[in-house]
Amino acid sequence: MAVEKPVTVEKPVTVEKPTIVSEDDDFVELRRSRRKWCIGGLVVGIICLAAVIFGIVWAVTHKKYANGTAPATAAPKTNHVSPYANMSKIVTYDANSPVVNKSRVFVIGDIHGCVDEFNQMLTAINYNATTDQIILAGDLTATGPDSIGVIRRAQAIGALCVRGNHDDKVIRMRTYQNVNGLASMSGTSVMDEGPKIATNLTDSDYAYLQSCPVIMDIPSFNAYFVHGGLDPTVPNINDQDPYSVMNVRDINSDGQLTASHKTGDPWSDEWNQAQNSTASPKNVYYGHAANKGLNLQTWSYGVDSGCVYGRQLTAIELHTHNITQISCKKYAT
């Protein structure tokens, strides 16, 4: 009789469901903290990188004056001077000049034909022709309502002046008229400085405006007076380019002076850097830069505060550097 083999019955295998372990609050907070630190570190890194880049740019910009000398560049560009400019480039007033011995000396920014505001300024500073002197920083003319009125008022009070870029156009046009006759001006109607001003000047008006030099030098105040600005890389004042002196606003990346205020650094910033590195620094008082407004730095004093655009007319007194401003009507945009 055969013996059957015993049957082995396998027990069913029970598969346990995986246990889902949830992160506790401390672990979640740790992860969040680490994420915050990573983001914070990234921000700090970006700031540090920006600081390094800024430092490099600053060093490159300033190193040219670090040794107290201007950078070695090519000879400064000299623009053509019109044969009709009838220009005095530099006038110097020495220690014996009456202007130096006045009790108060005021520099007034661009008036641009705003004769009412000019008169208001004279009242505001309590102007006294015997004890005070006025120096106009150019652009007596153009844009505003009464350029010839400003010229005549300035002449009447014995104001000194420097030639602005708009004044220069008036002078050139009137000189052209003097040489070629009134009929020669018939094609200049598109320019404010032409028939509206130049053709209406008297000989006395013309002589006064023409007498305003491009640069005024008053050593007793250790100062130059100009309309636009000066090239800080040109140490000899006699070598400054007249067109640039009347028109400059910025110095571009190539070191060229430009009439634009959007193509580089303000010339006054460069001027102050240069003066800080020289043994004989010099002050400059100027107008022209209405876009910057009143701009007072260590060695430069910008006083065109945009009167003709409805802002202010500014006067600065040289002995005290006290500022007087009056509000202006808006004549231009």
Side-chain angles (χ1 to χ4, degrees):
M1 180 174 181
V3 179
E4 295 183 355
K5 293 183 180 179
V7 178
T8 303
V9 180
E10 296 182 355
K11 294 181 179 181
V13 177
T14 303
V15 179
E16 296 182 355
K17 295 182 178 180
T19 303
I20 300 175
V21 181
S22 60
E23 298 173 334
D24 61 27
D25 290 341
D26 289 341
F27 183 70
V28 171
E29 184 62 30
L30 178 61
R31 290 183 62 187
R32 289 176 180 172
S33 178
R34 286 177 178 174
R35 188 179 299 114
K36 290 179 181 179
W37 275 104
C38 289
I39 294 172
L42 180 60
V43 171
V44 171
I46 292 172
I47 293 173
C48 291
L49 179 60
V52 170
I53 293 172
F54 176 81
I56 292 172
V57 172
W58 187 93
V60 170
T61 303
H62 290 70
K63 71 177 182 179
K64 58 186 177 183
Y65 299 112
N67 297 321
T69 58
T73 61
K77 178 181 178 181
T78 301
N79 291 280
H80 172 70
V81 175
S82 168
Y84 300 103
N86 199 8
M87 177 185 293
S88 297
K89 184 174 180 180
I90 303 176
V91 170
T92 300
Y93 292 95
D94 62 23
N96 296 318
S97 172
V99 64
V100 174
N101 298 306
K102 295 283 188 176
S103 298
R104 299 189 302 170
V105 180
F106 294 91
V107 178
I108 298 179
D110 300 30
I111 301 175
H112 277 299
C114 302
V115 69
D116 290 342
E117 287 79 359
F118 185 20
N119 284 322
Q120 290 171 30
M121 176 60 77
L122 296 177
T123 299
I125 63 176
N126 194 25
Y127 174 73
N128 184 318
T130 302
T131 59
D132 299 336
Q133 179 66 57
I134 300 293
I135 299 174
L136 302 177
D139 276 2
L140 289 66
T141 63
T143 311
D146 192 358
S147 295
I148 292 177
V150 171
I151 293 172
R152 292 175 182 171
R153 184 65 171 128
Q155 189 175 9
I157 65 172
L160 299 176
C161 52
V162 293
R163 183 180 296 202
N165 56 309
H166 288 281
D167 305 329
D168 184 58
K169 293 177 183 177
V170 172
I171 294 163
R172 287 188 282 121
M173 289 188 173
R174 182 49 187 260
T175 304
Y176 184 88
Q177 176 186 318
N178 291 346
V179 173
N180 298 286
L182 180 59
S184 66
M185 298 293 286
S186 61
T188 62
S189 59
V190 295
M191 296 188 68
D192 187 41
E193 293 86 350
K196 293 182 181 179
I197 305 174
T199 58
N200 292 305
L201 296 176
T202 65
D203 290 343
S204 178
D205 299 334
Y206 170 77
Y208 174 77
L209 195 61
Q210 178 275 325
S211 72
C212 302
V214 176
I215 302 170
M216 185 184 301
D217 181 12
I218 306 182
S220 295
F221 289 116
N222 188 37
Y224 297 125
F225 302 81
V226 299
H227 177 61
L230 293 171
D231 187 341
T233 69
V234 178
N236 188 335
I237 193 66
N238 295 289
D239 293 333
Q240 293 281 339
D241 171 52
Y243 176 86
S244 296
V245 172
M246 291 184 289
N247 288 275
V248 65
R249 288 188 176 93
D250 279 4
I251 299 178
N252 66 24
S253 58
D254 294 326
Q256 297 298 317
L257 277 64
T258 170
S260 172
H261 61 84
K262 300 178 180 179
T263 58
D265 296 323
W267 74 270
S268 56
D269 290 356
E270 296 274 348
W271 178 266
N272 278 271
Q273 293 165 21
Q275 302 315 296
N276 286 332
S277 303
T278 183
S280 303
K282 193 91 170 187
N283 298 301
V284 181
Y285 295 84
Y286 66 99
H288 191 50
N291 62 298
K292 294 290 191 295
L294 182 64
N295 186 9
L296 308 180
Q297 300 188 56
T298 304
W299 302 107
S300 64
Y301 303 86
V303 292
D304 181 5
S305 45
C307 179
V308 77
Y309 303 111
R311 302 206 297 270
Q312 294 84 34
L313 183 64
T314 295
I316 182 171
E317 202 285 308
L318 297 189
H319 295 288
T320 63
H321 280 175
N322 287 339
I323 300 293
T324 302
Q325 291 187 307
I326 64 163
S327 297
C328 302
K329 296 178 182 178
K330 185 175 182 178
Y331 302 100
T333 56

